[in-house]
Amino acid sequence: MLKKAAASAWKSSAPGGCNLAQARGLMTYVPSPGDARRQTVTLIPGDGIGPEVCGAVTKVVEAMGAPIQWERFDDVHGTDASGHPVTSVPSAVLDSIRRNQVCLKGTLYTPLSKTTATESLNVQMRKQLDSHVNLVHGFTLKGLPKGLIRHENIDIVVIRENTEGEYSGLEHEVVPDVIESIKVITAEKSRRTAEYAFGYAYLNNRKRVTAVHKANIMKMSDGLFLKEFREVAKKYPMIQSSEIIVDNTCMQLVGRPEQFDVLVTPNLYGNLVSNVVAGLCGGAGVVPGCNIGDNVAIFEQGARHVGKDIVGKGIANPLATLLSTSMMFRHLNLPDFSDRLENATLAVCQSGDLSALTPDLGGKGTTVSFTNAVIKQLERKFKGRYD
């Protein structure tokens, strides 16, 4: 009976019954002394709808009574008051993230500009903090309108190298009207990305890691990425490894996304693939994400869109940022807070209550109505582990 109940709890803890979340088991979580202390997290609301969705998060975290205090930076933006690109991340922000080691962030807007070659603040932050891996988790959310759910049983994690490749920022004009852009791939950064992908798969009971590449054309650069991937794969014989060309990846994602488990990619391909995954799962407001390095973790929505067209309308979807916060709780060794927030957020999606869901989820609600619905779910009396 207990085994059956535990299996039911495992199934019900995940979106659509998929094995996406660790169920709350019979064995208790044993914290280390001091784990209940209040932890400081850097908060960067950012641009566009960032302040609105981050506002939803802070309201929910407060309602939960989570041991989190925020070190806020509300004046960090990708452009100045005149719309010109901001050229550098304030040192106080970088110092805060290094000190706290954890950050929750809205997207910083990157304008198209012909007057500066400066890297975007998002890219600068990744490089200066060496948050060298980007992780995006896409999955099917049951309960949403059928038009939003293009495929059943999607459960894909995209792990992307985050600091080199086409984002190296090395461009110049060779002769008038001829631009050269340099793609940098190194063995060291390719290897650590592959190590993270296989380590992630091992720790999360994933079955297969697939390398996305274009080595049929870029034989040396992507060839080096594949070489390091293959070497790391030998250390994990219990995990299947495979390789796929990036253009075929996009086609297969649209046609049969269920075949993929963990995808590991160089920088640019990961950006493209993770946005395709987000689109398949319901859009930019759905999938959570994180940029992580050896000493820092920056949590944000997986598809980094600022949503400038809906700013101030009150309809921004906080789902992805709330789920990213759930990921953050687990990273901070707060598993019960993580489980409660995840389950409450997904329960709102699965309820079919159109008055709570934002328009991008097929509903008629607002940011406030979604947030209040999550808080209402959190306030419901816990009936037992397996009820």
Side-chain angles (χ1 to χ4, degrees):
M1 182 68 181
L2 181 61
K3 182 177 180 181
K4 181 178 179 182
S8 174
W10 178 275
K11 182 176 180 181
S12 66
S13 69
C18 299
N19 182 9
L20 299 180
Q22 180 180 351
R24 182 174 182 175
L26 179 62
M27 294 300 99
T28 186
Y29 163 62
V30 181
S32 297
D35 276 0
R37 73 190 186 282
R38 188 166 295 276
Q39 302 186 59
T40 303
V41 173
T42 303
L43 177 62
I44 305 172
D47 293 314
I49 60 172
E52 297 172 56
V53 296
C54 287
V57 167
T58 57
K59 184 176 179 180
V60 170
V61 169
E62 181 180 3
M64 295 181 75
I68 298 294
Q69 61 185 14
W70 305 104
E71 185 174 3
R72 296 183 65 113
F73 291 90
D74 293 293
D75 57 349
V76 180
H77 303 286
T79 59
D80 61 23
S82 301
H84 297 114
V86 174
T87 58
S88 62
V89 182
S91 59
V93 174
L94 298 174
D95 290 342
S96 171
I97 298 173
R98 291 188 183 103
R99 180 174 58 253
N100 298 328
Q101 299 186 320
V102 178
C103 173
L104 182 69
K105 169 181 171 292
T107 299
L108 299 172
Y109 179 58
T110 304
L112 293 175
S113 174
K114 297 180 180 179
T115 61
T116 177
T118 304
E119 292 175 318
S120 75
L121 297 194
N122 297 299
V123 173
Q124 286 185 48
M125 194 174 294
R126 294 172 220 157
K127 290 185 177 181
Q128 293 182 49
L129 297 170
D130 198 27
S131 53
H132 54 83
V133 167
N134 174 246
L135 185 151
V136 174
H137 187 187
F139 45 83
T140 301
L141 275 173
K142 297 295 177 67
L144 298 183
K146 291 187 178 297
L148 289 176
I149 301 176
R150 295 169 174 80
H151 296 273
E152 301 291 334
N153 302 320
I154 296 176
D155 181 10
I156 302 171
V157 172
V158 182
I159 292 175
R160 162 193 176 191
E161 199 289 319
N162 219 16
T163 60
E164 60 174 12
E166 295 83 355
Y167 288 68
S168 299
L170 301 173
E171 292 187 314
H172 62 274
E173 190 172 36
V174 182
V175 295
D177 297 329
V178 178
I179 304 297
E180 184 175 62
S181 180
I182 300 175
K183 170 180 175 175
V184 176
I185 297 287
T186 63
E188 176 190 4
K189 294 186 177 182
S190 298
R191 188 184 313 115
R192 69 179 182 178
T193 306
E195 289 278 9
Y196 187 90
F198 278 97
Y200 170 87
Y202 174 67
L203 293 173
N204 285 276
N205 195 31
R206 294 280 179 158
K207 306 304 181 186
R208 182 169 58 155
V209 177
T210 302
V212 179
H213 67 92
K214 192 64 177 175
N216 58 323
I217 302 298
M218 285 169 275
K219 302 181 187 300
M220 295 185 68
S221 56
D222 284 21
L224 179 59
F225 181 85
L226 277 185
K227 174 179 177 293
E228 296 302 322
F229 170 82
R230 292 164 182 166
E231 288 299 314
V232 173
K234 294 175 184 177
K235 303 177 184 178
Y236 294 86
M238 75 294 290
I239 298 173
Q240 302 173 36
S241 64
S242 59
E243 302 165 7
I244 185 170
I245 294 173
V246 62
D247 36 338
N248 188 28
T249 304
C250 295
M251 181 178 69
Q252 294 293 330
L253 278 170
V254 173
R256 290 194 307 119
E258 302 87 352
Q259 67 184 289
F260 294 112
D261 191 356
V262 176
L263 297 172
V264 58
T265 79
N267 205 336
L268 179 61
Y269 309 156
N271 187 24
L272 304 177
V273 168
S274 60
N275 276 271
V276 172
V277 170
L280 292 171
C281 296
V286 173
V287 296
C290 176
N291 299 300
I292 191 162
D294 295 339
N295 299 304
V296 298
I298 302 173
F299 294 86
E300 60 183 341
Q301 64 181 40
R304 293 181 287 269
H305 297 279
V306 294
K308 293 188 72 175
D309 56 326
I310 59 171
V311 172
K313 296 182 179 179
I315 57 173
N317 180 6
L319 171 60
T321 310
L322 286 166
L323 292 178
S324 297
T325 304
S326 175
M327 292 169 59
M328 183 188 78
F329 280 149
R330 192 169 295 280
H331 179 76
L332 291 170
N333 291 323
L334 299 170
D336 185 70
F337 286 94
S338 174
D339 291 343
R340 286 163 53 201
L341 178 55
E342 175 186 325
N343 292 335
T345 303
L346 297 181
V348 173
C349 296
Q350 294 165 358
S351 69
D353 181 1
L354 298 184
S355 68
L357 300 179
T358 50
D360 63 309
L361 297 178
K364 300 178 181 179
T366 64
T367 310
V368 171
S369 68
F370 190 99
T371 304
N372 289 341
V374 171
I375 292 173
K376 185 176 180 180
Q377 287 287 339
L378 287 165
E379 290 173 345
R380 288 187 173 183
K381 184 177 179 180
F382 182 64
K383 297 181 180 178
R385 295 188 196 283
Y386 305 119
D387 289 358

